[in-house]
Amino acid sequence: MPRKQSTNGTVQLYVWISVEAKQYLDERFEREGRHLYEQIEDYIRKDMAAHRGEIVEQQSLPVISEIMDTTLRKYTAQLRADLRDDMRLDILEPMKTVSRNGDDRLASLIVRVMRDAGILRRLLYALVAKTFGSEFAAEAYENAKARSGQELAARTTARKEKEAE
């Protein structure tokens, strides 16, 4: 049933309420000076706002949750990237430097050993040649070269056989 509307945009509402509710509204009027219609309209507006808020909350909560998840994933990925960069700078680069320096040192030691071995071989050959003659020195050199090759081959074969077992 349509209600008459006044010129100020309000309608008249007839409702039955409990005696306790009416007494409460009268007490508030005496305390605050707010008329009955103001109090009731305030209650209705608060209920409307709460109801609309629940609806908005229900509709927007999944969207807000997705935004938070996306943001968290983005910041987690950024954090992992920063951590990788920090690890590379603070750990891996110094390790590479130490490894490179160790490799350089090892290479220089190998070169020195090879040079010293060549010098020793020539000195020993000269000493044996001077002491026992150049023929004996050449024969001893060839014999030593053949035996060292056989020993290296035997060690390699023995190692492969142990690994196979």
Side-chain angles (χ1 to χ4, degrees), residues 70-83:
T70 303
T71 304
L72 283 173
R73 272 190 242 111
K74 175 184 162 189
Y75 285 121
T76 302
Q78 181 63 43
L79 185 62
R80 284 197 327 262
D82 291 346
L83 186 59

Side-chain angles (χ1 to χ4, degrees), residues 10-11 19 42 81 97 104 127 134 155:
T10 60
V11 293
V19 175
D42 188 41
T97 302
D104 292 347
L127 180 65
S134 63
R155 286 182 189 166

Side-chain angles (χ1 to χ4, degrees), residues 2 4 6 17 44-45 47 53-54 62 65 68 80-81 83 88 92 103 106 108 110-111 126 141 146 156 162-163:
K4 279 189 189 176
S6 71
I17 60 173
I44 292 172
R45 284 186 187 176
D47 184 64
E54 288 173 3
S65 177
M68 287 179 61
R80 284 197 327 262
L83 186 59
R88 185 178 48 77
L92 294 178
D103 292 349
L106 184 60
S108 66
I110 290 171
V111 167
Y141 176 74
T156 305
K162 284 183 182 179
E163 289 174 2

Side-chain angles (χ1 to χ4, degrees), residues 73-125:
R73 272 190 242 111
K74 175 184 162 189
Y75 285 121
T76 302
Q78 181 63 43
L79 185 62
R80 284 197 327 262
D82 291 346
L83 186 59
R84 271 194 302 271
D85 291 343
D86 290 346
M87 282 181 59
R88 185 178 48 77
L89 291 174
D90 296 342
I91 297 170
L92 294 178
E93 289 301 323
M95 284 177 63
K96 284 181 182 178
T97 302
V98 167
S99 176
R100 203 173 308 115
N101 291 344
D103 292 349
D104 292 347
R105 175 82 174 132
L106 184 60
S108 66
L109 287 173
I110 290 171
V111 167
R112 183 174 177 187
V113 165
M114 295 300 292
R115 189 190 68 197
D116 289 349
I119 291 170
L120 283 173
R121 182 178 49 214
R122 286 181 182 81
L123 286 174
L124 283 174
Y125 184 83

